[in-house]
Amino acid sequence: MNALNKGIGKAQVGLRWDPSPLGAPGHDLDLIAAVYRADDPYGDPAYVVHFDSRSPDGTIALDRDSLTGQGLGDDEVMTLELDRLADSYGRVLVGVVIQQTNGRLTFGGVAGKGVRVLAGRTTLAVDELAGVAQSTAATVAEFRRDGAGAWGFHGGIRGFDADPAAFVRVMGRSLS
């Protein structure tokens, strides 16, 4: 990024999925954001934003939360005001996790699923999660602050076989 590029100020992650078939137990997919300190970007998250919560400073919020996937468009939407995050934070990961309340369910067993990452009106990524069909959770967006303080997007879907609590503990760990 050059001196004229301010990076990403505000981003939005949208998640959609179809309701389960009539008579079958419902699917509940959730967006989760983990915020990491600049001095420990692959350690434990400084805080996590998920259903029924928002960041302590109000910069990350789950604007829409669905328990069933019913509705038009995105079923869950998370807004990240990256330009308002304190300088002490250097990395934010957003993931999707399937609640495992009715037995093991993977992304391959959920119809109509997909994720979209936007910065303003610019689409940064769109994915149907087919590459992680055998997973129960996945990271879907990574935002990192560069040396000049500008936020950039780093795409790539990474699957996990983890319940929500375990996913939060491992989602930001380095692959090495």
Side-chain angles (χ1 to χ4, degrees), residues 84-103:
R84 290 186 47 228
L85 274 170
D87 291 341
S88 59
Y89 302 116
R91 183 171 178 240
V92 178
L93 274 178
V94 179
V96 176
V97 65
I98 303 170
Q99 295 291 334
Q100 301 294 316
T101 54
N102 297 306

Side-chain angles (χ1 to χ4, degrees), residues 20 23-28 67-68 98-106:
S20 59
H27 310 321
D28 183 9
L67 301 176
T68 63
I98 303 170
Q99 295 291 334
Q100 301 294 316
T101 54
N102 297 306
R104 188 172 190 279
L105 178 65
T106 65

Side-chain angles (χ1 to χ4, degrees), residues 1-8 146-152:
M1 292 186 197
N2 61 39
L4 297 176
N5 190 343
K6 296 180 182 180
I8 299 170
D146 68 14
W151 286 95

